[in-house]
Amino acid sequence: MAGSYGSTLRYKNVERIKSIGKHTLLGASGEVSDFQEILRYLDELIIYDNMWDDGNSLGPKEVHNYLTRVMYNRRNKFDPLFNSLVVGGVKNGQKYLGMVGMIGTHYEDNHVATGFGNHLARPLMRAEWHEDMSFEEAVKLLEKCLLVLLYRDRSAINKFQIAKITEEGVTISEPYALKTFWGFLAFQNPTKGAEGSW
Amino acid sequence: MDPDLSAPHSMGTTIIGVTYDGGVVLGADSRTSTGMYVANRASDKITQLTDNVYVCRSGSAADSQILSDYVRYFLNQHTIQLGQPATVKVAANLVRLFSYQNKNMLQTGLIIGGWDKYEGGQIYSVPLGGTVLKQPFTIGGSGSSYLYGFFDQAWKDGMSKDEAEKLVVKAVSLAIARDGASGGVVRTVTINAEGVTRNFYSGNSLPLWHEELEPRNSMLDILLSGASPEPMSI
């Protein structure tokens, strides 16, 4: 939930997951102002779609495609939106999860991540994700990834939100913090016998 | 956004040294980063120079390590030749010599703290260019930017050992809360006539500041207990 200003952890309450329409969740990393602009674009998109009043509504696939076009076209104008986006949702029983980067790179997978998550979280998810996980298993896996990122990503803070979307609807959790572990014996006196090292 | 693994290891850091009535307390965080990646989350930035003099290192990890290695070596020789423990002032000036003469190549800020029988507890600040300044307390590293106001208000002369240590831990913990380049645990080293004591304050035992939350094992705990506030919606 952090909004950094260079290396300062300036804002500690930034909501980076928002719901779009009835069927989609959008998570963003990167520049907060650009994310807010993207939300405005999507607002307009959803409103115009609703105005048709035809019983149809935009689902995650459509939102993902729209965002891909937006990001790629901005990249072509050398004026990118500095975000990496995660788009997920359920429509008519069909699950969908995708990613769009700031240069328009996009793909769909069972597990996606942005930034450091690509290096630290995806290997964990590749090992432990399987079809038909329960909600609890999924949360545990996500929290495992979040903890590693909290330890190893400088821009992370100990404040998270987990969001869930099903056919029934959207739930975005209250912000919460995870317990960290510092009790390794080696952490107590790491330079014992090697004064001047780490 | 790729981790820049060839970026030099830097201890964007928070380091503090304070004198108290009878000795000094040195404090530091424990994060060493390579670009945006935390290479070491439990580093020890308070390094021994002699039995009675320690140094807090900040800036380039390599530069500060090699500098303190050289100073330790020469101080060791000096102690043998002198026949008694080196003074804190000598240690500080030796650090200054290396920092100043190599100022074009080094990028490290140091805080020297120790106790000797002539002048008791002393703190010397040796920032980037190789200045030496004796001070009742000093702060350094990237996280120190967030502590100037705090110390202006909280610093008092003639504190007890416990007060000084609590102040240092509180300060490092505040800096960790706002500086992305500082983090991990708080290490302190207290030096006085009796000797040297190392302490370790782990992430979970540090106080919570503005907008920080009580840590828990998992979100599932809140959900399953049922005694939770309503989940947020749009």
Side-chain angles (χ1 to χ4, degrees):
Chain A
M1 289 193 75
S4 301
Y5 186 64
S7 64
T8 307
L9 306 169
R10 185 94 155 73
Y11 301 106
K12 298 200 178 184
N13 238 329
V14 181
E15 281 168 28
R16 305 199 287 133
I17 306 181
K18 293 287 185 183
S19 84
I20 314 291
K22 290 180 287 189
H23 304 286
T24 320
L25 277 175
L26 176 65
S29 84
E31 174 63 40
V32 179
S33 64
D34 286 345
F35 179 51
Q36 290 176 341
E37 191 69 1
I38 288 170
L39 291 174
R40 282 172 181 278
Y41 287 155
L42 288 170
D43 231 7
E44 222 177 280
L45 186 74
I46 298 288
I47 287 171
Y48 273 96
D49 182 55
N50 285 341
M51 276 170 27
W52 287 103
D53 200 21
D54 56 4
N56 211 357
S57 53
L58 292 173
K61 268 196 229 268
E62 290 80 49
V63 172
H64 187 211
N65 180 252
Y66 174 76
L67 289 172
T68 303
R69 292 296 104 221
V70 169
M71 302 300 270
Y72 183 63
N73 277 290
R74 289 290 295 258
R75 166 259 191 192
N76 285 340
K77 295 194 289 187
F78 285 93
D79 182 23
L81 292 161
F82 266 77
N83 295 111
S84 288
L85 306 165
V86 170
V87 187
V90 190
K91 188 174 163 194
N92 298 332
Q94 275 224 323
K95 295 181 289 201
Y96 186 86
L97 183 62
M99 208 281 303
V100 193
M102 72 185 243
I103 54 174
T105 311
H106 60 282
Y107 53 86
E108 192 205 323
D109 205 346
N110 291 312
H111 40 77
V112 297
T114 62
F116 265 78
N118 282 306
H119 301 95
L120 299 174
R122 290 188 76 199
L124 288 171
M125 295 194 285
R126 270 185 216 123
E128 298 189 22
W129 184 89
H130 55 86
E131 202 67 62
D132 297 323
M133 284 173 83
S134 69
F135 174 66
E136 283 73 29
E137 287 180 301
V139 169
K140 286 222 160 62
L141 178 55
L142 277 181
E143 288 183 338
K144 195 171 180 178
C145 297
L146 288 174
L147 200 54
V148 167
L149 290 165
L150 178 60
Y151 287 141
R152 296 295 177 176
D153 182 359
R154 259 174 53 168
S155 54
I157 61 168
N158 197 353
K159 213 169 178 191
F160 307 105
Q161 283 181 300
I162 291 193
K164 172 175 87 157
I165 183 164
T166 61
E167 197 70 51
E168 285 82 62
V170 170
T171 327
I172 307 182
S173 75
E174 281 286 294
Y176 72 103
L178 285 172
K179 281 194 178 148
T180 53
F181 184 69
W182 303 91
F184 295 110
L185 211 55
F187 284 6
Q188 296 281 336
N189 216 343
T191 58
K192 192 171 184 161
E195 200 58 53
S197 69
W198 288 14
Chain B
M1 267 175 284
D2 261 359
D4 186 10
L5 293 168
S6 54
H9 280 33
S10 130
M11 299 170 306
T13 295
T14 311
I15 48 175
I16 304 181
V18 316
T19 57
Y20 70 90
D21 182 25
V24 300
V25 180
L26 297 174
D29 74 307
S30 72
R31 177 172 285 189
T32 303
S33 28
T34 325
M36 288 298 276
Y37 178 66
V38 178
N40 189 346
R41 65 175 170 112
S43 1
D44 183 8
K45 303 182 189 181
I46 311 179
T47 300
Q48 188 190 27
L49 294 178
T50 70
D51 288 339
N52 53 318
V53 181
Y54 279 67
V55 61
C56 294
R57 302 179 288 112
S58 78
S60 158
D63 288 350
S64 65
Q65 281 178 3
I66 198 74
L67 193 153
S68 61
D69 281 351
Y70 270 117
V71 172
R72 189 177 321 113
Y73 172 69
F74 284 114
L75 270 179
N76 189 239
Q77 286 191 332
H78 170 70
T79 305
I80 293 167
Q81 289 173 336
L82 197 62
Q84 60 180 28
T87 59
V88 189
K89 188 186 292 202
V90 164
N93 273 288
L94 206 45
V95 171
R96 178 202 72 89
L97 209 60
F98 282 103
S99 262
Y100 181 74
Q101 290 181 348
N102 296 294
K103 66 159 76 191
N104 294 324
M105 291 181 288
L106 294 174
Q107 202 182 60
T108 169
L110 304 142
I111 298 179
I112 295 96
W115 183 95
D116 60 45
K117 66 185 186 196
Y118 298 105
E119 303 210 34
Q122 299 142 73
I123 292 285
Y124 291 87
S125 176
V126 181
L128 243 41
T131 315
V132 199
L133 283 171
K134 179 167 189 290
Q135 302 188 294
F137 76 91
T138 192
I139 56 182
S142 58
S144 65
S145 310
Y146 309 93
L147 297 176
Y148 284 97
F150 173 71
F151 271 92
D152 280 348
Q153 191 239 24
W155 166 258
K156 302 186 313 269
D157 218 352
M159 287 189 290
S160 71
K161 177 159 80 90
D162 282 339
E163 283 179 316
E165 180 135 359
K166 283 201 168 60
L167 184 67
V168 167
V169 173
K170 187 174 182 184
V172 178
S173 146
L174 280 168
I176 287 174
R178 287 294 182 177
D179 181 24
S182 301
V185 303
V186 181
R187 296 194 194 274
T188 63
V189 171
T190 310
I191 314 173
N192 51 35
E194 282 80 61
V196 176
T197 326
R198 271 190 177 282
N199 270 317
F200 169 97
Y201 299 86
S202 90
N204 291 319
S205 70
L206 298 173
L208 291 173
W209 303 117
H210 179 53
E211 290 194 315
E212 291 188 340
L213 301 169
E214 195 66 54
R216 30 169 150 240
N217 288 317
S218 161
M219 181 187 90
L220 297 171
D221 296 344
I222 342 168
L223 293 184
L224 297 175
S225 76
S228 62
E230 281 294 300
M232 285 169 39
S233 48
I234 312 104

